[in-house]
Amino acid sequence: MVSRKPPDGGWGWVIVVVSFFTQFLCYGSPLAVGVLYLEWLDAFGEGKGKTAWVGSLANGIGLLASPVCSICVSSFGARPVAIFSGFMVAGGLMMSSFAPNIYFLYVSYGIVVGLGCGLLYTATVTITCQYFDKRRGLALGLISTGSSVGLFIYAALQRELIELYGLDGCLLIVGALSLNILACGSLMRPLESSSSPPSEKMFVDKVPDQYFVYHEKEKTVEENISILEKGYTDEKCVNNVPDGKQDSILNMNALSSINVNEKDTYKKKVVEQTNFCKQLAKRKWQLYLTYWKETMVLFKNKVFSALFVAILLFDIGGFPPSLLMEDVARSANISEDDYYMPLISIIGIMTTVGKLILGILADFKWVNTLYLYVTTLLMTGVALFAIPFAKSYLTLAMLSGILGFLTGNWSIFPYVTTKTVGIEKLTHAYGILMFFAGLGNSLGPPIVGWFYDWTQEYNTAFYFSGFCVLLGGFLLLLAALPCWNACTNQSSKLPPNTYSYKVASNA
């Protein structure tokens, strides 16, 4: 089947809708895991750091395994992966309802659900990009809001289900809801035409020439010499026997010559296949070497190196509030009667608003996207420093809204990456950055929880979180200042695929 040009509409809008609901259903519970976190603390009696690993794994493992997820979607297609991942998410949530200890949750909720979410994210983004070209930014923006809306709704939903049916019943019901991912996945029809497949010659023409070059000519010559010598010996034997037996020997020689030809053809095929495998392995090894060389070139870019540190520190410090804010409110002795809305729901709805507004701002030519991203990092650090001073529901709700809005900077992160490394290196660079983002997501909440276990209060933990985010923001700001370009004006010496980010150009 031959892939068609992206239609930028038609069935593509169905893909957008089902991708939105897929992200809504799979990310709703992991992003709103802060509600479950309180129940797990009470149920298992473990420390906050150890318990926080469950939610951090569920949100970080998908990013850490993003290369594996991409390979799966490329090999099997978006629809089969989405259906299989739906079973993973639903099964992991239902298994978590029977968890006897926190270690069981690490596997059932942290790894199984987290990996299923990573696969579904890759599948939805891939199938959407296949159906859209000119409107790709709009389509990706619409489906990305599914996770934020899921956080907003699932925070209140899980809290209500826990009050009605308990923690186990809540996980069973949420897992059953996740089975709707199967219906969404079944609608992810591949973008293929019904035309006849290309001829075999077209496939042969596309194979690199080095795959047909074999360096075993010496062996084939030796084999031919041995075959000729064998034939000469057989001929001498035929001439020395009586005439009566000569016909039978000739018949036997004819059969043996056919046998020799078959063996020769077989040996030739074995040699060709062996050399093909050697050439393929050599080609793969060259690709790996090229990948690491390109990675080293990326890290020679000062802005990219600072961006890598900033995204790691941002996720270490900025992700814990979405998981721990409910426990912060309980630690501040805020009565449940004062709750008008779960704090995690506020973070979720404001993240949606932040994604849309920051994404719109990034489209203006007079807005420097890198400076805009740095501003969100610095403001996030200040808001994290303010959490220890919040002693009422109103102040915590305001800080939750601010942090949620600033977390929407994920929508402009691809813009910043593109400006930093260029469109040719975007996929490579973005994969590296997402890996370290997943590492930050996995480490952030446990570190904050360990701080609480050591000090029995959250003040030091959020001072540490704020310091991490501010440090990342300042490093990125220093790397992006115009003076760096004046001191190291080496953009012309970089390989043609890299792009030196000139901050002053858009200021």
Side-chain angles (χ1 to χ4, degrees):
M1 306 294 284
V2 182
S3 298
R4 293 188 289 112
K5 185 179 178 181
D8 280 293
W11 191 260
W13 295 117
V14 177
I15 297 296
V16 169
V17 173
V18 298
S19 297
F20 172 89
F21 280 106
T22 297
Q23 293 202 16
F24 170 85
L25 292 167
C26 74
Y27 276 105
S29 181
L31 290 178
V33 72
V35 177
L36 304 175
Y37 171 75
L38 298 177
E39 302 299 322
W40 288 329
L41 283 174
D42 297 335
F44 300 115
E46 300 286 353
K48 295 182 186 293
K50 185 182 289 188
T51 308
W53 270 111
V54 181
S56 63
L57 282 174
N59 287 278
I61 199 72
L63 292 174
L64 288 172
S66 56
V68 177
C69 298
S70 299
I71 292 173
C72 291
V73 174
S74 299
S75 303
F76 304 105
R79 180 159 60 183
V81 169
I83 294 174
F84 175 77
S85 304
F87 281 113
M88 286 186 66
V89 173
L93 289 169
M94 292 180 180
M95 280 173 20
S96 300
S97 64
F98 303 101
N101 51 53
I102 199 70
Y103 302 103
F104 187 90
L105 286 173
Y106 289 163
V107 178
S108 62
Y109 197 97
I111 297 178
V112 177
V113 175
L115 187 58
C117 290
L119 288 168
L120 285 169
Y121 177 81
T122 306
T124 54
V125 170
T126 301
I127 193 70
T128 303
C129 289
Q130 290 174 356
Y131 270 86
F132 288 90
D133 184 17
K134 297 179 181 178
R135 300 178 181 177
R136 184 174 295 169
L138 174 62
L140 291 175
L142 290 174
I143 69 170
S144 68
T145 58
S147 57
S148 301
V149 175
L151 169 59
F152 171 69
I153 293 179
Y154 268 74
L157 176 64
Q158 291 184 147
R159 191 174 179 182
E160 189 67 24
L161 290 175
I162 289 172
E163 292 180 0
L164 293 174
Y165 305 106
L167 176 61
D168 297 342
C170 170
L171 289 170
L172 284 173
I173 294 173
V174 171
L177 287 175
S178 299
L179 289 172
N180 289 288
I181 296 173
L182 306 181
C184 295
S186 64
L187 295 174
M188 294 181 183
R189 188 172 64 194
L191 182 64
E192 293 179 338
S193 66
S194 57
S195 60
S196 58
S199 62
E200 186 176 347
K201 185 177 182 300
M202 292 176 62
F203 283 114
V204 172
D205 292 340
K206 292 181 179 179
V207 178
D209 293 334
Q210 63 265 29
Y211 289 167
F212 293 101
V213 178
Y214 304 108
H215 306 285
E216 299 288 342
K217 294 181 179 179
E218 295 81 7
K219 292 185 178 180
T220 56
V221 170
E222 293 175 0
E223 290 173 2
N224 290 332
I225 292 173
S226 63
I227 292 170
L228 289 172
E229 290 178 350
K230 185 177 180 181
Y232 177 73
T233 306
D234 292 341
E235 187 178 355
K236 286 177 65 179
C237 294
V238 169
N239 293 330
N240 292 331
V241 296
D243 295 336
K245 297 182 179 179
Q246 209 165 18
D247 293 337
S248 61
I249 292 176
L250 287 174
N251 291 335
M252 290 175 63
N253 284 337
L255 292 174
S256 64
S257 64
I258 295 173
N259 225 5
V260 168
N261 289 333
E262 290 180 353
K263 289 180 180 179
D264 185 38
T265 303
Y266 175 75
K267 288 180 180 180
K268 184 178 179 181
K269 288 183 178 180
V270 169
V271 170
E272 290 179 351
Q273 292 176 358
T274 303
N275 282 276
F276 178 84
C277 293
K278 288 181 180 179
Q279 295 288 340
L280 187 60
K282 188 183 295 185
R283 175 65 176 167
K284 291 290 184 182
W285 178 249
Q286 290 296 330
L287 290 175
Y288 288 133
L289 290 179
T290 303
Y291 176 85
W292 288 111
K293 288 179 182 177
E294 291 178 353
T295 302
M296 297 305 297
V297 171
L298 286 175
F299 279 100
K300 290 180 180 178
N301 186 330
K302 290 183 174 63
V303 179
F304 178 81
S305 298
L307 192 62
F308 136 73
V309 175
I311 190 65
L312 176 63
L313 294 176
F314 172 73
D315 279 279
I316 289 177
F319 178 66
S322 63
L323 176 61
L324 304 174
M325 193 60 82
E326 297 293 332
D327 192 46
V328 171
R330 188 169 71 170
S331 301
N333 297 320
I334 297 175
S335 174
E336 292 187 0
D337 297 333
D338 297 334
Y339 269 68
Y340 301 103
M341 183 185 295
L343 296 175
I344 300 179
S345 294
I346 297 175
I347 293 176
I349 195 64
M350 290 305 296
T351 300
T352 305
V353 176
K355 285 179 178 179
L356 294 175
I357 293 180
L358 293 174
I360 292 172
L361 287 175
D363 286 334
F364 289 108
K365 294 183 179 180
W366 52 269
V367 174
N368 187 301
T369 53
L370 182 58
Y371 283 155
L372 179 63
Y373 185 73
V374 170
T375 302
T376 61
L377 295 183
L378 298 179
M379 292 178 66
T380 301
V382 173
L384 289 170
F385 271 114
I387 289 179
F389 300 99
K391 301 300 180 183
S392 65
Y393 173 81
L394 181 60
T395 53
L396 283 175
M398 292 175 60
L399 288 173
S400 298
I402 293 171
L403 288 170
F405 179 86
L406 296 172
T407 306
N409 62 6
W410 277 99
S411 64
I412 63 173
F413 191 71
Y415 285 80
V416 177
T417 308
T418 305
K419 291 290 185 180
T420 303
V421 301
I423 191 65
E424 298 87 356
K425 296 285 185 180
L426 175 61
T427 303
H428 187 183
Y430 199 71
I432 295 173
L433 294 174
M434 287 301 98
F435 175 84
F436 287 101
L439 186 62
N441 276 350
S442 301
L443 295 177
I447 291 175
V448 172
W450 288 331
F451 269 110
Y452 184 92
D453 293 335
W454 293 333
T455 61
Q456 295 302 308
E457 44 87 18
Y458 274 116
N459 295 352
T460 307
F462 282 104
Y463 290 148
F464 170 79
S465 297
F467 173 77
C468 287
V469 178
L470 283 176
L471 177 62
F474 278 121
L475 289 175
L476 185 57
L477 179 61
L478 289 174
L481 288 176
C483 62
W484 278 106
N485 292 327
C487 296
T488 57
N489 190 13
Q490 298 178 350
S491 59
S492 59
K493 297 181 181 180
L494 291 174
N497 287 337
T498 58
Y499 179 82
S500 179
Y501 191 102
K502 295 185 179 180
V503 179
S505 62
N506 291 332

